Amino acid sequence: MYEKHLMICGATGCLSSGSQAVEEALIKELKKHKIKDKFRLVMGGCPGFCEVGPIIVVYPDEVFYCRLKPKHMAEVVEKHLLEGEIVEHLLYKGPDTEAPARFFDTIPFYAKQKFNVLRNSGIIDPESIDEYIMRGGYRAFSRALAMEPAEICEEVKSAGLRGRGGAGFSTGLKWEFTLNASGQKKYVVCNADEGDPGAFMDRSILEGDPHAILEGMLICARATGANEGYVYCRAEYPLAIKRLKIAIDKAEEYGLLGEKILGYDFNFKINIKEGAGAFVCGEETALLASIEGKRGMPRPRPPFPAQSGLFGKPTTINNVETLANIPLIVKEGGAAEFASVGTEGSKGTKVFALAGKIRNTGLCEVPMGITVREIIYDVGGGIKGGRKFKAVQAGGPSGGCIPAEQLDLPIDYDSLNKAGAIMGSGGLVVMDERTCMVDLARYFLSFTQKESCGKCTPCREGTKRMLEILNRITEGEGKLKDLDVLDSMAYSIKDSSLCGLGQTCPNPVLSTIRYFRNEYEEHITDKFCRAGVCKPLFNYRIDADKCTGCTVCAKACPVNAISGEKKKPHEINLDLCTNCGNCIEKCRFDSIIIEPVGREADVSN
Amino acid sequence: MEKFIDHCCEKCTHTKETPCKDFIRCCVEGPICHEDPACVAKRKAIIEKVAINDQFVIC
């Protein structure tokens, strides 16, 4: 028996902020005090709060230590582990807490979350099948083995689970199509080709709870009559792939993968296919082509994969998060429990990756129907630097933006669609007043334009032409009629593209024109970017009334464009200034003003 | 018995080749096919080693 369990976040986010070094320092300290055998250390899954990583949670005390460095480990061992005293200064402290907070019950980031998919992340050792079984793992699969395939499909349908990869199609119905398709050989494919910028939901699930995905695939196979599966995961997720491989090996050792599984007439094996990272391979037919060893390009549908998918056989393709929900639904009484959370049309929870100008970046799992405001302010802690919320991009490059006026919009499939955005896979990129919406649309379109496979003309040529127009607008060369051209091209591309990439890539342009048309017009007619992003369309000026002459801006300027005496107002030499923005970022007195080129008007408001 | 896949005694016959339909339930609640406090204790020992709190095990 161990005295305590120290769960160190070993997911990619915390690893990149140094959790490996923290673990090594902890081991060194435990060895120094000759107490290593008394405490269990696990490099576990992600507890979600990436902003404050590296994180260690000490159980059973449930103490949440954050922003750790190797130098803190001596104190954790000597004070907490040896003397039982909590190290206060390593607890979470934020503008949203009055006192240092210990764990879920007191940290506002967790207050509105509900853990279904992330139920085991940071709780179990992701490389241990025994711990997954202790947490109720593989029980739903055992139950599914004793059920008729149609019964399983019916349960998944009754739960109301909709695909978490983006389109939101009924998962149970999708399974039923494959079940009813004729053929001896059928496949299950897990789409782990998560490609949206700023999204890492699937990666965290795979890293933190890989057996949940295997169990979801096993149940799907049982329900649809499949006997082989593939996980298509991008090669840039090495930790997820490593943990999946370990999980598959363990499941085979335990007889949960292979032939005559648990004595039933049911065989299933799982292969991993590493993708090269093309965004279009997240589209199901392109993904299937890639598994088959062909170039990752989509094909027209019908036939849909449920009729003719991988190697021409009936295939079910589900996203990682969708599959992670399956064991919860197929367990005894699970369908009703699942359906009791969420809204009428969108059941269950959704995992979101919070990124951008938000205070609490990280991963959160919230009930469907929660409002944008609750996610941004209650979970996300509001906007960094106390700035104003401007919009949130939901659904990545295929999605759309939700402006501040719609902060009370409930997050569910139908409400997001009505607002011009999509649920997508769950990436939420938050923007403040310093984000230029024209530049944002240009960024997302440049991403999809580069990732377009080039097979169909509307996507290949259309995105290029739209991008040329957006580039022109951000360079001050736009014309008002460009907005009509963008609008008309966007709908043509949506209507005539072959796959989801082309059909959705104009969304960021359409939604920014819909909600921020004034910004486009300002770029075109006033040649002004009020966010201070499009460099040819603004100048910086120092407000002499506000400047205290602290010299911070002058020191931060990389081209020595700012001059002035100490404690006296400074000036910017516009001939030298490159509009890099260092000065405005550093100024604590709001004395740097963004103004139109060639005019001296105070437009800071 | 260090892992659930290990046999608790000679009465357990679950292997990949000779699978038991109740294997998953047996891991945490077993043994199911026979009664033996020593076999129960072996499973409990595996659980107690890693269970981080009282709510860890879900049946």
Side-chain angles (χ1 to χ4, degrees), chain A residues 1-2 5 40 60 130 134-136 139 142 252-254 262-263, chain B residues 3-4 14 16 19 21 24 29 48-52 55-58:
Chain A
M1 284 283 284
Y2 294 104
H5 306 262
R40 177 169 161 259
D130 281 352
M134 287 176 213
R135 298 281 297 159
R139 286 201 178 221
S142 294
E252 284 174 353
E253 183 193 344
Y254 275 52
L262 296 183
Chain B
K3 301 181 289 181
F4 286 144
H14 174 82
K16 207 169 153 181
K21 288 187 177 179
I24 294 299
E29 297 173 49
E48 282 180 347
K49 197 171 174 185
V50 296
I52 57 169
Q55 293 89 49
F56 186 76
V57 175
I58 299 171

PDB file of all heavy atoms in Angstrom, chain A residues 1-2 5 40 60 130 134-136 139 142 252-254 262-263, chain B residues 3-4 14 16 19 21 24 29 48-52 55-58:
ATOM      1  N   MET A   1       0.837  -1.214   0.000  1.00  0.00           N
ATOM      2  CA  MET A   1       0.000   0.000   0.000  1.00  0.00           C
ATOM      3  C   MET A   1       0.867   1.257   0.000  1.00  0.00           C
ATOM      4  O   MET A   1       1.838   1.340   0.736  1.00  0.00           O
ATOM      5  CB  MET A   1      -0.866   0.005   1.264  1.00  0.00           C
ATOM      6  CG  MET A   1      -2.023  -0.930   1.196  1.00  0.00           C
ATOM      7  SD  MET A   1      -3.349  -0.257   0.193  1.00  0.00           S
ATOM      8  CE  MET A   1      -4.043   0.946   1.310  1.00  0.00           C
ATOM      9  N   TYR A   2       0.464   2.175  -0.819  1.00  0.00           N
ATOM     10  CA  TYR A   2       1.188   3.451  -0.850  1.00  0.00           C
ATOM     11  C   TYR A   2       0.528   4.432   0.116  1.00  0.00           C
ATOM     12  O   TYR A   2      -0.692   4.412   0.297  1.00  0.00           O
ATOM     13  CB  TYR A   2       1.147   4.034  -2.261  1.00  0.00           C
ATOM     14  CG  TYR A   2       1.898   3.208  -3.265  1.00  0.00           C
ATOM     15  CD1 TYR A   2       1.223   2.399  -4.181  1.00  0.00           C
ATOM     16  CD2 TYR A   2       3.289   3.245  -3.314  1.00  0.00           C
ATOM     17  CE1 TYR A   2       1.916   1.637  -5.111  1.00  0.00           C
ATOM     18  CE2 TYR A   2       3.992   2.490  -4.253  1.00  0.00           C
ATOM     19  CZ  TYR A   2       3.297   1.689  -5.150  1.00  0.00           C
ATOM     20  OH  TYR A   2       3.979   0.941  -6.063  1.00  0.00           O
ATOM     21  N   HIS A   5      -0.642   8.927  -3.568  1.00  0.00           N
ATOM     22  CA  HIS A   5      -0.447   8.778  -5.019  1.00  0.00           C
ATOM     23  C   HIS A   5      -0.221  10.164  -5.601  1.00  0.00           C
ATOM     24  O   HIS A   5      -1.025  11.071  -5.364  1.00  0.00           O
ATOM     25  CB  HIS A   5      -1.683   8.163  -5.668  1.00  0.00           C
ATOM     26  CG  HIS A   5      -2.107   6.877  -5.027  1.00  0.00           C
ATOM     27  ND1 HIS A   5      -1.770   5.654  -5.528  1.00  0.00           N
ATOM     28  CD2 HIS A   5      -2.843   6.642  -3.913  1.00  0.00           C
ATOM     29  CE1 HIS A   5      -2.284   4.707  -4.757  1.00  0.00           C
ATOM     30  NE2 HIS A   5      -2.939   5.283  -3.769  1.00  0.00           N
ATOM     31  N   ARG A  40       3.476   6.577  -4.692  1.00  0.00           N
ATOM     32  CA  ARG A  40       3.329   6.124  -6.082  1.00  0.00           C
ATOM     33  C   ARG A  40       3.277   7.335  -7.006  1.00  0.00           C
ATOM     34  O   ARG A  40       2.470   8.248  -6.797  1.00  0.00           O
ATOM     35  CB  ARG A  40       2.042   5.305  -6.202  1.00  0.00           C
ATOM     36  CG  ARG A  40       1.723   4.823  -7.584  1.00  0.00           C
ATOM     37  CD  ARG A  40       0.595   3.800  -7.520  1.00  0.00           C
ATOM     38  NE  ARG A  40      -0.043   3.642  -8.795  1.00  0.00           N
ATOM     39  CZ  ARG A  40      -1.206   4.206  -9.144  1.00  0.00           C
ATOM     40  NH1 ARG A  40      -1.857   4.954  -8.281  1.00  0.00           N
ATOM     41  NH2 ARG A  40      -1.719   4.013 -10.337  1.00  0.00           N
ATOM     42  N   PRO A  60      -4.689  10.548  -1.438  1.00  0.00           N
ATOM     43  CA  PRO A  60      -6.120  10.855  -1.395  1.00  0.00           C
ATOM     44  C   PRO A  60      -6.442  12.266  -0.892  1.00  0.00           C
ATOM     45  O   PRO A  60      -7.610  12.608  -0.791  1.00  0.00           O
ATOM     46  CB  PRO A  60      -6.658   9.810  -0.429  1.00  0.00           C
ATOM     47  CG  PRO A  60      -5.534   9.527   0.485  1.00  0.00           C
ATOM     48  CD  PRO A  60      -4.284   9.677  -0.315  1.00  0.00           C
ATOM     49  N   ASP A 130      -5.483  -2.732 -15.961  1.00  0.00           N
ATOM     50  CA  ASP A 130      -6.141  -3.088 -14.694  1.00  0.00           C
ATOM     51  C   ASP A 130      -6.866  -1.877 -14.104  1.00  0.00           C
ATOM     52  O   ASP A 130      -7.984  -1.994 -13.606  1.00  0.00           O
ATOM     53  CB  ASP A 130      -5.109  -3.607 -13.683  1.00  0.00           C
ATOM     54  CG  ASP A 130      -4.727  -5.057 -13.961  1.00  0.00           C
ATOM     55  OD1 ASP A 130      -5.365  -5.681 -14.832  1.00  0.00           O
ATOM     56  OD2 ASP A 130      -3.789  -5.570 -13.318  1.00  0.00           O
ATOM     57  N   MET A 134     -10.769  -1.371 -13.245  1.00  0.00           N
ATOM     58  CA  MET A 134     -11.260  -0.969 -11.910  1.00  0.00           C
ATOM     59  C   MET A 134     -12.248   0.187 -12.002  1.00  0.00           C
ATOM     60  O   MET A 134     -13.152   0.311 -11.188  1.00  0.00           O
ATOM     61  CB  MET A 134     -10.084  -0.520 -11.028  1.00  0.00           C
ATOM     62  CG  MET A 134      -9.211  -1.644 -10.545  1.00  0.00           C
ATOM     63  SD  MET A 134      -7.827  -0.948  -9.627  1.00  0.00           S
ATOM     64  CE  MET A 134      -6.560  -2.133 -10.020  1.00  0.00           C
ATOM     65  N   ARG A 135     -12.049   1.056 -12.994  1.00  0.00           N
ATOM     66  CA  ARG A 135     -12.936   2.211 -13.162  1.00  0.00           C
ATOM     67  C   ARG A 135     -14.193   1.848 -13.961  1.00  0.00           C
ATOM     68  O   ARG A 135     -14.863   2.712 -14.511  1.00  0.00           O
ATOM     69  CB  ARG A 135     -12.195   3.345 -13.878  1.00  0.00           C
ATOM     70  CG  ARG A 135     -10.999   3.870 -13.104  1.00  0.00           C
ATOM     71  CD  ARG A 135     -11.388   4.797 -12.001  1.00  0.00           C
ATOM     72  NE  ARG A 135     -12.044   5.987 -12.500  1.00  0.00           N
ATOM     73  CZ  ARG A 135     -12.826   6.773 -11.767  1.00  0.00           C
ATOM     74  NH1 ARG A 135     -13.053   6.483 -10.510  1.00  0.00           N
ATOM     75  NH2 ARG A 135     -13.386   7.849 -12.288  1.00  0.00           N
ATOM     76  N   GLY A 136     -14.485   0.570 -14.051  1.00  0.00           N
ATOM     77  CA  GLY A 136     -15.690   0.142 -14.771  1.00  0.00           C
ATOM     78  C   GLY A 136     -15.436  -0.144 -16.234  1.00  0.00           C
ATOM     79  O   GLY A 136     -16.385  -0.386 -17.000  1.00  0.00           O
ATOM     80  N   ARG A 139     -16.770  -3.165 -19.010  1.00  0.00           N
ATOM     81  CA  ARG A 139     -18.049  -3.751 -18.558  1.00  0.00           C
ATOM     82  C   ARG A 139     -19.123  -3.548 -19.623  1.00  0.00           C
ATOM     83  O   ARG A 139     -19.941  -4.429 -19.860  1.00  0.00           O
ATOM     84  CB  ARG A 139     -18.500  -3.108 -17.251  1.00  0.00           C
ATOM     85  CG  ARG A 139     -17.667  -3.583 -16.099  1.00  0.00           C
ATOM     86  CD  ARG A 139     -18.383  -3.384 -14.798  1.00  0.00           C
ATOM     87  NE  ARG A 139     -17.536  -3.915 -13.751  1.00  0.00           N
ATOM     88  CZ  ARG A 139     -17.978  -4.621 -12.721  1.00  0.00           C
ATOM     89  NH1 ARG A 139     -19.265  -4.861 -12.589  1.00  0.00           N
ATOM     90  NH2 ARG A 139     -17.156  -5.076 -11.818  1.00  0.00           N
ATOM     91  N   SER A 142     -18.535  -6.080 -22.242  1.00  0.00           N
ATOM     92  CA  SER A 142     -19.004  -7.403 -21.806  1.00  0.00           C
ATOM     93  C   SER A 142     -20.518  -7.505 -21.977  1.00  0.00           C
ATOM     94  O   SER A 142     -21.047  -8.530 -22.400  1.00  0.00           O
ATOM     95  CB  SER A 142     -18.676  -7.649 -20.331  1.00  0.00           C
ATOM     96  OG  SER A 142     -17.300  -7.713 -20.162  1.00  0.00           O
ATOM     97  N   GLU A 252      -4.905  -7.303 -26.036  1.00  0.00           N
ATOM     98  CA  GLU A 252      -4.673  -8.620 -26.678  1.00  0.00           C
ATOM     99  C   GLU A 252      -4.252  -9.643 -25.623  1.00  0.00           C
ATOM    100  O   GLU A 252      -4.723 -10.774 -25.615  1.00  0.00           O
ATOM    101  CB  GLU A 252      -3.595  -8.494 -27.767  1.00  0.00           C
ATOM    102  CG  GLU A 252      -4.129  -7.822 -29.034  1.00  0.00           C
ATOM    103  CD  GLU A 252      -3.050  -7.545 -30.075  1.00  0.00           C
ATOM    104  OE1 GLU A 252      -1.856  -7.749 -29.781  1.00  0.00           O
ATOM    105  OE2 GLU A 252      -3.425  -7.099 -31.184  1.00  0.00           O
ATOM    106  N   GLU A 253      -3.367  -9.212 -24.704  1.00  0.00           N
ATOM    107  CA  GLU A 253      -2.904 -10.126 -23.635  1.00  0.00           C
ATOM    108  C   GLU A 253      -4.077 -10.601 -22.775  1.00  0.00           C
ATOM    109  O   GLU A 253      -4.141 -11.749 -22.357  1.00  0.00           O
ATOM    110  CB  GLU A 253      -1.877  -9.382 -22.766  1.00  0.00           C
ATOM    111  CG  GLU A 253      -1.265 -10.235 -21.668  1.00  0.00           C
ATOM    112  CD  GLU A 253      -0.500  -9.389 -20.637  1.00  0.00           C
ATOM    113  OE1 GLU A 253      -0.195  -8.213 -20.922  1.00  0.00           O
ATOM    114  OE2 GLU A 253      -0.248  -9.923 -19.544  1.00  0.00           O
ATOM    115  N   TYR A 254      -5.043  -9.703 -22.549  1.00  0.00           N
ATOM    116  CA  TYR A 254      -6.187 -10.024 -21.694  1.00  0.00           C
ATOM    117  C   TYR A 254      -7.305 -10.737 -22.465  1.00  0.00           C
ATOM    118  O   TYR A 254      -8.352 -11.035 -21.899  1.00  0.00           O
ATOM    119  CB  TYR A 254      -6.731  -8.741 -21.047  1.00  0.00           C
ATOM    120  CG  TYR A 254      -6.010  -8.340 -19.781  1.00  0.00           C
ATOM    121  CD1 TYR A 254      -4.620  -8.221 -19.752  1.00  0.00           C
ATOM    122  CD2 TYR A 254      -6.705  -8.078 -18.607  1.00  0.00           C
ATOM    123  CE1 TYR A 254      -3.951  -7.849 -18.600  1.00  0.00           C
ATOM    124  CE2 TYR A 254      -6.037  -7.706 -17.440  1.00  0.00           C
ATOM    125  CZ  TYR A 254      -4.662  -7.595 -17.452  1.00  0.00           C
ATOM    126  OH  TYR A 254      -4.002  -7.232 -16.300  1.00  0.00           O
ATOM    127  N   LEU A 262     -13.679 -13.312 -25.164  1.00  0.00           N
ATOM    128  CA  LEU A 262     -14.427 -13.697 -23.959  1.00  0.00           C
ATOM    129  C   LEU A 262     -15.393 -14.862 -24.229  1.00  0.00           C
ATOM    130  O   LEU A 262     -16.473 -14.947 -23.631  1.00  0.00           O
ATOM    131  CB  LEU A 262     -15.170 -12.495 -23.364  1.00  0.00           C
ATOM    132  CG  LEU A 262     -14.291 -11.351 -22.832  1.00  0.00           C
ATOM    133  CD1 LEU A 262     -15.147 -10.256 -22.212  1.00  0.00           C
ATOM    134  CD2 LEU A 262     -13.260 -11.828 -21.826  1.00  0.00           C
ATOM    135  N   GLY A 263     -14.991 -15.742 -25.122  1.00  0.00           N
ATOM    136  CA  GLY A 263     -15.771 -16.953 -25.380  1.00  0.00           C
ATOM    137  C   GLY A 263     -16.929 -16.763 -26.337  1.00  0.00           C
ATOM    138  O   GLY A 263     -17.686 -17.713 -26.588  1.00  0.00           O
TER     139      GLY A 263
ATOM    140  N   LYS B   3      -1.489  -9.091 -11.501  1.00  0.00           N
ATOM    141  CA  LYS B   3      -2.364  -8.418 -12.470  1.00  0.00           C
ATOM    142  C   LYS B   3      -3.662  -9.206 -12.540  1.00  0.00           C
ATOM    143  O   LYS B   3      -3.697 -10.400 -12.205  1.00  0.00           O
ATOM    144  CB  LYS B   3      -1.720  -8.417 -13.866  1.00  0.00           C
ATOM    145  CG  LYS B   3      -0.377  -7.738 -13.952  1.00  0.00           C
ATOM    146  CD  LYS B   3       0.171  -7.778 -15.370  1.00  0.00           C
ATOM    147  CE  LYS B   3       0.607  -9.167 -15.772  1.00  0.00           C
ATOM    148  NZ  LYS B   3       1.169  -9.245 -17.128  1.00  0.00           N
ATOM    149  N   PHE B   4      -4.702  -8.580 -13.029  1.00  0.00           N
ATOM    150  CA  PHE B   4      -5.987  -9.279 -13.123  1.00  0.00           C
ATOM    151  C   PHE B   4      -5.919 -10.489 -14.054  1.00  0.00           C
ATOM    152  O   PHE B   4      -6.705 -11.420 -13.918  1.00  0.00           O
ATOM    153  CB  PHE B   4      -7.075  -8.316 -13.612  1.00  0.00           C
ATOM    154  CG  PHE B   4      -7.527  -7.322 -12.582  1.00  0.00           C
ATOM    155  CD1 PHE B   4      -7.874  -6.017 -12.956  1.00  0.00           C
ATOM    156  CD2 PHE B   4      -7.635  -7.662 -11.239  1.00  0.00           C
ATOM    157  CE1 PHE B   4      -8.307  -5.093 -12.026  1.00  0.00           C
ATOM    158  CE2 PHE B   4      -8.068  -6.740 -10.293  1.00  0.00           C
ATOM    159  CZ  PHE B   4      -8.397  -5.453 -10.687  1.00  0.00           C
ATOM    160  N   HIS B  14      -9.178 -18.729 -16.940  1.00  0.00           N
ATOM    161  CA  HIS B  14      -9.275 -17.725 -18.007  1.00  0.00           C
ATOM    162  C   HIS B  14      -7.917 -17.481 -18.673  1.00  0.00           C
ATOM    163  O   HIS B  14      -6.948 -17.111 -18.019  1.00  0.00           O
ATOM    164  CB  HIS B  14      -9.794 -16.386 -17.469  1.00  0.00           C
ATOM    165  CG  HIS B  14      -9.762 -15.296 -18.503  1.00  0.00           C
ATOM    166  ND1 HIS B  14     -10.752 -15.145 -19.437  1.00  0.00           N
ATOM    167  CD2 HIS B  14      -8.852 -14.339 -18.774  1.00  0.00           C
ATOM    168  CE1 HIS B  14     -10.458 -14.128 -20.234  1.00  0.00           C
ATOM    169  NE2 HIS B  14      -9.290 -13.629 -19.850  1.00  0.00           N
ATOM    170  N   LYS B  16      -6.404 -16.317 -22.881  1.00  0.00           N
ATOM    171  CA  LYS B  16      -6.829 -15.848 -24.189  1.00  0.00           C
ATOM    172  C   LYS B  16      -7.455 -17.004 -24.977  1.00  0.00           C
ATOM    173  O   LYS B  16      -8.441 -16.838 -25.700  1.00  0.00           O
ATOM    174  CB  LYS B  16      -5.584 -15.350 -24.920  1.00  0.00           C
ATOM    175  CG  LYS B  16      -5.815 -14.317 -25.944  1.00  0.00           C
ATOM    176  CD  LYS B  16      -4.460 -13.772 -26.344  1.00  0.00           C
ATOM    177  CE  LYS B  16      -4.494 -13.233 -27.744  1.00  0.00           C
ATOM    178  NZ  LYS B  16      -3.219 -12.725 -28.171  1.00  0.00           N
ATOM    179  N   PRO B  19     -11.228 -18.511 -22.818  1.00  0.00           N
ATOM    180  CA  PRO B  19     -11.754 -17.320 -22.130  1.00  0.00           C
ATOM    181  C   PRO B  19     -12.993 -17.583 -21.283  1.00  0.00           C
ATOM    182  O   PRO B  19     -13.771 -18.504 -21.565  1.00  0.00           O
ATOM    183  CB  PRO B  19     -12.092 -16.385 -23.291  1.00  0.00           C
ATOM    184  CG  PRO B  19     -12.262 -17.239 -24.481  1.00  0.00           C
ATOM    185  CD  PRO B  19     -11.509 -18.502 -24.256  1.00  0.00           C
ATOM    186  N   LYS B  21     -16.480 -15.866 -19.859  1.00  0.00           N
ATOM    187  CA  LYS B  21     -17.399 -14.776 -20.228  1.00  0.00           C
ATOM    188  C   LYS B  21     -17.507 -13.722 -19.130  1.00  0.00           C
ATOM    189  O   LYS B  21     -17.854 -12.581 -19.390  1.00  0.00           O
ATOM    190  CB  LYS B  21     -18.782 -15.345 -20.549  1.00  0.00           C
ATOM    191  CG  LYS B  21     -18.781 -16.087 -21.879  1.00  0.00           C
ATOM    192  CD  LYS B  21     -20.163 -16.509 -22.304  1.00  0.00           C
ATOM    193  CE  LYS B  21     -20.046 -17.160 -23.682  1.00  0.00           C
ATOM    194  NZ  LYS B  21     -21.285 -17.648 -24.232  1.00  0.00           N
ATOM    195  N   ILE B  24     -14.377  -9.823 -16.992  1.00  0.00           N
ATOM    196  CA  ILE B  24     -14.264  -8.417 -16.596  1.00  0.00           C
ATOM    197  C   ILE B  24     -14.864  -8.190 -15.200  1.00  0.00           C
ATOM    198  O   ILE B  24     -14.249  -7.562 -14.339  1.00  0.00           O
ATOM    199  CB  ILE B  24     -14.940  -7.490 -17.642  1.00  0.00           C
ATOM    200  CG1 ILE B  24     -14.179  -7.563 -18.977  1.00  0.00           C
ATOM    201  CG2 ILE B  24     -15.009  -6.052 -17.145  1.00  0.00           C
ATOM    202  CD1 ILE B  24     -12.732  -7.111 -18.931  1.00  0.00           C
ATOM    203  N   GLU B  29     -14.818  -7.990  -8.853  1.00  0.00           N
ATOM    204  CA  GLU B  29     -15.769  -8.568  -7.901  1.00  0.00           C
ATOM    205  C   GLU B  29     -15.528 -10.041  -7.628  1.00  0.00           C
ATOM    206  O   GLU B  29     -16.226 -10.653  -6.826  1.00  0.00           O
ATOM    207  CB  GLU B  29     -17.196  -8.390  -8.426  1.00  0.00           C
ATOM    208  CG  GLU B  29     -17.617  -6.950  -8.559  1.00  0.00           C
ATOM    209  CD  GLU B  29     -18.971  -6.814  -9.234  1.00  0.00           C
ATOM    210  OE1 GLU B  29     -19.916  -7.506  -8.824  1.00  0.00           O
ATOM    211  OE2 GLU B  29     -19.069  -6.044 -10.198  1.00  0.00           O
ATOM    212  N   GLU B  48      -6.210  -2.171  -4.088  1.00  0.00           N
ATOM    213  CA  GLU B  48      -5.789  -1.247  -3.028  1.00  0.00           C
ATOM    214  C   GLU B  48      -4.445  -0.584  -3.326  1.00  0.00           C
ATOM    215  O   GLU B  48      -4.173   0.512  -2.863  1.00  0.00           O
ATOM    216  CB  GLU B  48      -5.744  -1.982  -1.689  1.00  0.00           C
ATOM    217  CG  GLU B  48      -7.144  -2.161  -1.118  1.00  0.00           C
ATOM    218  CD  GLU B  48      -7.166  -2.877   0.204  1.00  0.00           C
ATOM    219  OE1 GLU B  48      -6.123  -3.455   0.583  1.00  0.00           O
ATOM    220  OE2 GLU B  48      -8.226  -2.870   0.844  1.00  0.00           O
ATOM    221  N   LYS B  49      -3.657  -1.275  -4.101  1.00  0.00           N
ATOM    222  CA  LYS B  49      -2.342  -0.716  -4.435  1.00  0.00           C
ATOM    223  C   LYS B  49      -2.457   0.574  -5.260  1.00  0.00           C
ATOM    224  O   LYS B  49      -1.652   1.487  -5.103  1.00  0.00           O
ATOM    225  CB  LYS B  49      -1.559  -1.774  -5.221  1.00  0.00           C
ATOM    226  CG  LYS B  49      -0.083  -1.519  -5.278  1.00  0.00           C
ATOM    227  CD  LYS B  49       0.633  -2.704  -5.884  1.00  0.00           C
ATOM    228  CE  LYS B  49       2.100  -2.388  -6.076  1.00  0.00           C
ATOM    229  NZ  LYS B  49       2.806  -3.449  -6.768  1.00  0.00           N
ATOM    230  N   VAL B  50      -3.472   0.643  -6.099  1.00  0.00           N
ATOM    231  CA  VAL B  50      -3.535   1.794  -7.026  1.00  0.00           C
ATOM    232  C   VAL B  50      -4.757   2.693  -6.831  1.00  0.00           C
ATOM    233  O   VAL B  50      -4.792   3.794  -7.402  1.00  0.00           O
ATOM    234  CB  VAL B  50      -3.495   1.322  -8.506  1.00  0.00           C
ATOM    235  CG1 VAL B  50      -2.178   0.650  -8.812  1.00  0.00           C
ATOM    236  CG2 VAL B  50      -4.669   0.424  -8.838  1.00  0.00           C
ATOM    237  N   ALA B  51      -5.735   2.234  -6.058  1.00  0.00           N
ATOM    238  CA  ALA B  51      -6.946   3.057  -5.892  1.00  0.00           C
ATOM    239  C   ALA B  51      -6.595   4.346  -5.149  1.00  0.00           C
ATOM    240  O   ALA B  51      -6.100   4.304  -4.029  1.00  0.00           O
ATOM    241  CB  ALA B  51      -8.017   2.288  -5.138  1.00  0.00           C
ATOM    242  N   ILE B  52      -6.857   5.476  -5.780  1.00  0.00           N
ATOM    243  CA  ILE B  52      -6.422   6.750  -5.192  1.00  0.00           C
ATOM    244  C   ILE B  52      -7.372   7.248  -4.108  1.00  0.00           C
ATOM    245  O   ILE B  52      -7.009   8.091  -3.317  1.00  0.00           O
ATOM    246  CB  ILE B  52      -6.237   7.833  -6.284  1.00  0.00           C
ATOM    247  CG1 ILE B  52      -7.528   8.032  -7.082  1.00  0.00           C
ATOM    248  CG2 ILE B  52      -5.080   7.505  -7.204  1.00  0.00           C
ATOM    249  CD1 ILE B  52      -7.507   9.241  -7.992  1.00  0.00           C
ATOM    250  N   GLN B  55     -13.717   6.349  -3.994  1.00  0.00           N
ATOM    251  CA  GLN B  55     -14.626   6.345  -5.158  1.00  0.00           C
ATOM    252  C   GLN B  55     -13.958   5.799  -6.419  1.00  0.00           C
ATOM    253  O   GLN B  55     -14.547   5.818  -7.496  1.00  0.00           O
ATOM    254  CB  GLN B  55     -15.110   7.762  -5.459  1.00  0.00           C
ATOM    255  CG  GLN B  55     -16.015   8.375  -4.413  1.00  0.00           C
ATOM    256  CD  GLN B  55     -15.221   9.099  -3.343  1.00  0.00           C
ATOM    257  OE1 GLN B  55     -14.341   9.889  -3.632  1.00  0.00           O
ATOM    258  NE2 GLN B  55     -15.522   8.788  -2.088  1.00  0.00           N
ATOM    259  N   PHE B  56     -12.759   5.323  -6.280  1.00  0.00           N
ATOM    260  CA  PHE B  56     -11.997   4.936  -7.469  1.00  0.00           C
ATOM    261  C   PHE B  56     -12.636   3.754  -8.214  1.00  0.00           C
ATOM    262  O   PHE B  56     -12.778   3.774  -9.428  1.00  0.00           O
ATOM    263  CB  PHE B  56     -10.559   4.583  -7.061  1.00  0.00           C
ATOM    264  CG  PHE B  56      -9.643   4.312  -8.223  1.00  0.00           C
ATOM    265  CD1 PHE B  56      -9.154   5.367  -8.989  1.00  0.00           C
ATOM    266  CD2 PHE B  56      -9.263   3.031  -8.560  1.00  0.00           C
ATOM    267  CE1 PHE B  56      -8.306   5.138 -10.070  1.00  0.00           C
ATOM    268  CE2 PHE B  56      -8.422   2.785  -9.629  1.00  0.00           C
ATOM    269  CZ  PHE B  56      -7.945   3.840 -10.385  1.00  0.00           C
ATOM    270  N   VAL B  57     -13.012   2.732  -7.460  1.00  0.00           N
ATOM    271  CA  VAL B  57     -13.542   1.526  -8.109  1.00  0.00           C
ATOM    272  C   VAL B  57     -15.008   1.735  -8.477  1.00  0.00           C
ATOM    273  O   VAL B  57     -15.811   2.185  -7.668  1.00  0.00           O
ATOM    274  CB  VAL B  57     -13.393   0.296  -7.187  1.00  0.00           C
ATOM    275  CG1 VAL B  57     -14.060  -0.926  -7.808  1.00  0.00           C
ATOM    276  CG2 VAL B  57     -11.918   0.025  -6.932  1.00  0.00           C
ATOM    277  N   ILE B  58     -15.323   1.414  -9.746  1.00  0.00           N
ATOM    278  CA  ILE B  58     -16.707   1.529 -10.218  1.00  0.00           C
ATOM    279  C   ILE B  58     -17.159   0.146 -10.662  1.00  0.00           C
ATOM    280  O   ILE B  58     -16.527  -0.471 -11.525  1.00  0.00           O
ATOM    281  CB  ILE B  58     -16.810   2.536 -11.388  1.00  0.00           C
ATOM    282  CG1 ILE B  58     -16.356   3.930 -10.925  1.00  0.00           C
ATOM    283  CG2 ILE B  58     -18.236   2.579 -11.931  1.00  0.00           C
ATOM    284  CD1 ILE B  58     -16.223   4.934 -12.052  1.00  0.00           C
TER     285      ILE B  58
END
